[in-house]
Amino acid sequence: MGVVIVIAGLTILLLLVTKWLLNKRVHKPLVVESETPTFRIVALGLQGSGKTLLLASMYHRLKAPTDQCYFLTAPYDDVLLLNQWYVQMASTASSGAWPRGTAKGETRHFNFTVKTSTGGTALPILKLNYLEYAGELLTEIQEAGTRQKELFEHIGSADALIGVIDGFRVKRHLDGHPDGHVHLERTLNALLPVMIEASAPISFIITKWDLLADLHPDESTRLSIVHNLLMSNGHFRSLVNLHSADRVVRLIPVSAVGPGFAKIGSTGEIVKVGQGAVHPTNVDVPLSAVVPDMFEQIESRLNSEALAALGAEIRKRKQQGALEALASLGTFAGQVAGRALMAAFGPSAAIAGEVMLGMFLDSRMGGPGAEQMRLHQELSEAERRIEMFRRARRRVLYDMRRKVDMLEGRLPHSRLSGGR
């Protein structure tokens, strides 16, 4: 009898403990993705190359989920400044003034958060730390203690590099004006030495693309003309050839205002036509390319064993639910392939290593249609929230990759290094 009582007591105790664990599971949901990964971007361009208009137009284009599921947010003061630049740029009032550009030696710093809406909630997916330097820091002798050392440090730790090339100066060069050749050489002399030593993906941005419309009616042919001009520079060609196998290098033509809004005046300055509205071109691509290019470059550098392990983990992840995927992620992070990926993420992995790893795996799982959703099952609130976040993140990464692929499909010369 005593044994029966003990067994009954243990059974009741087990039921109570189980009930307590289930209640705890529901009422104290798991805290996941507590760190939003940050990707660091360094943009360089000479004074007057169009960096300010590019930044204002990029933000304006991506501040709402118009042609993609994600959008950008920024601190209030930065939003005011970016909107002010854009309004001034788009204005055709009598003054016709353009926003003030970056002064020599000036640095601009913006923090963007990439969000997407799901279930009526705006979820932060990742952050973009955008640091803009005037290229003159690399072409002119600076006093001791200036920001040159800081600039080199930021370039060395960047996840993406943007080199801004003035399309107006490119046109001047193609039209045979000596000042165009001199300015283009000066630009490349500023950008190439630091970029050839760095390891991050590079996007060379040709600004003021609308001014080159008369080169050829076909946009792809126009870009091939500019591509051939840049590749005729020995140092530019060396950078592309040196990194062609394992580094992503792009050539992205953009216009902050779009066709027909501005023209070259009689004295050689760029003036507003005075009618019409701005229709920016390709300005959504540079920021959208940051994460896909970084992940593509990392994957291209893995050896065959790591690639095989990565493929196995992705196939397994496609069949897993929320908690299974979290547990598997921790295990994979400790394996050889996982450690190799974590090391390749660089400083970004110091704070949000496993979050970055999960994001990388999600980016390799195909489009949203391939998702294995399990929300129809009996899930706790915590599991449902994790599953919804994974779905939202995959959707963002897919849309970013889609923008890059569409540009490459339309303009093959926009990819300078070897493709996927």
Side-chain angles (χ1 to χ4, degrees):
M1 175 66 82
V3 174
V4 173
I5 293 174
V6 170
I7 293 174
L10 289 175
T11 301
I12 294 171
L13 179 61
L14 180 60
L15 289 173
L16 290 173
V17 170
T18 302
K19 184 177 180 180
W20 178 79
L21 287 173
L22 288 172
N23 288 335
K24 183 178 180 182
R25 184 183 183 189
V26 173
H27 298 300
K28 294 187 177 181
L30 295 173
V31 179
V32 295
E33 313 295 357
S34 57
E35 295 292 344
T36 304
T38 299
F39 297 85
R40 299 171 306 280
I41 308 162
V42 174
L44 290 167
L46 296 187
Q47 194 174 22
S49 59
K51 299 187 301 296
T52 299
L53 300 191
L54 171 64
L55 184 56
S57 200
M58 285 194 301
Y59 172 73
H60 182 82
R61 174 64 184 78
L62 293 171
K63 69 180 182 181
T66 51
D67 189 37
Q68 68 285 323
C69 69
Y70 56 91
F71 57 96
L72 296 184
T73 63
Y76 182 69
D77 289 345
D78 289 347
V79 169
L80 289 179
L81 181 59
L82 291 164
N83 285 340
Q84 177 186 331
W85 288 343
Y86 188 85
V87 169
Q88 187 177 0
M89 175 189 74
S91 173
T92 55
S94 57
S95 62
W98 299 99
R100 180 187 71 83
T102 310
K104 291 184 179 180
E106 184 179 0
T107 302
R108 286 173 173 167
H109 187 195
F110 292 85
N111 287 307
F112 299 110
T113 301
V114 176
K115 296 183 177 182
T116 189
S117 294
T118 183
T121 302
L123 296 177
I125 302 298
L126 57 96
K127 295 179 181 179
L128 299 174
N129 183 318
Y130 190 92
L131 194 59
E132 180 189 280
Y133 281 94
E136 283 77 8
L137 279 173
L138 301 172
T139 62
E140 300 178 3
I141 298 176
Q142 307 290 318
E143 297 178 3
T146 59
R147 288 190 294 274
Q148 275 187 332
K149 181 180 178 182
E150 173 192 284
L151 170 57
F152 289 129
E153 290 174 350
H154 282 302
I155 290 174
S157 63
D159 298 307
L161 298 175
I162 291 178
V164 180
I165 299 175
D166 191 340
F168 170 62
R169 301 296 180 176
V170 170
K171 177 176 172 54
R172 296 278 293 177
H173 185 10
L174 290 169
D175 288 344
H177 296 282
D179 65 300
H181 170 76
V182 171
H183 193 280
L184 182 59
E185 286 292 316
R186 185 163 165 257
T187 299
L188 296 180
N189 286 339
L191 301 180
L192 298 181
V194 292
M195 289 187 167
I196 203 168
E197 290 189 33
S199 60
I202 303 173
S203 289
F204 289 104
I205 309 297
I206 306 296
T207 58
K208 308 170 190 176
W209 186 238
D210 53 297
L211 299 180
L212 285 84
D214 61 354
L215 281 182
H216 195 279
D218 178 64
E219 186 180 23
S220 182
T221 303
R222 287 201 300 276
L223 187 59
S224 72
I225 293 171
V226 175
H227 167 273
N228 293 340
L229 172 65
L230 293 173
M231 291 295 283
S232 69
N233 179 284
H235 295 105
F236 189 90
R237 186 170 62 251
S238 294
L239 182 147
V240 173
N241 292 339
L242 179 64
H243 297 290
S244 182
D246 63 351
R247 192 174 181 188
V248 179
V249 185
R250 298 191 180 278
L251 181 64
I252 305 175
V254 305
S255 172
V257 297
F261 187 82
K263 66 179 182 179
I264 301 174
S266 57
T267 58
E269 78 282 15
I270 302 174
V271 297
K272 299 175 183 178
V273 171
Q275 295 180 347
V278 295
H279 297 286
T281 304
N282 299 332
V283 294
D284 52 338
V285 178
L287 292 183
S288 299
V290 169
V291 177
D293 284 355
M294 176 184 172
F295 285 174
E296 178 186 337
Q297 185 168 292
I298 287 173
E299 185 174 2
S300 72
R301 295 177 176 180
L302 296 177
N303 59 34
S304 57
E305 290 82 4
L307 285 172
L310 173 63
E313 185 66 23
I314 291 171
R315 289 190 295 274
K316 182 168 61 175
R317 191 174 177 86
K318 286 181 178 180
Q319 305 301 319
Q320 291 173 331
L323 296 184
E324 290 176 293
L326 276 179
S328 181
L329 180 66
T331 302
F332 183 65
Q335 296 172 354
V336 174
R339 292 199 303 270
L341 284 168
M342 298 273 275
F345 293 146
S348 301
I351 299 176
E354 286 197 14
V355 177
M356 288 275 287
L357 186 59
M359 180 178 288
F360 178 87
L361 293 173
D362 282 348
S363 73
R364 275 35 216 159
M365 290 174 63
E371 190 118 27
Q372 178 72 20
M373 281 297 290
R374 303 190 174 196
L375 300 185
H376 61 281
Q377 296 181 358
E378 293 293 329
L379 300 181
S380 71
E381 183 60 30
E383 291 170 308
R384 185 176 295 273
R385 185 165 49 84
I386 297 168
E387 198 81 17
M388 291 297 292
F389 179 84
R390 289 179 59 201
R391 183 179 178 85
R393 182 168 66 182
R394 284 188 57 196
R395 196 168 63 242
V396 169
L397 295 170
Y398 176 81
D399 265 8
M400 288 181 166
R401 181 76 249 177
R402 179 178 59 85
K403 285 184 178 292
V404 175
D405 289 343
M406 287 176 62
L407 182 73
E408 285 188 26
R410 185 165 52 88
L411 301 173
H413 282 97
S414 65
R415 181 64 181 252
L416 296 175
S417 60
R420 291 185 297 166

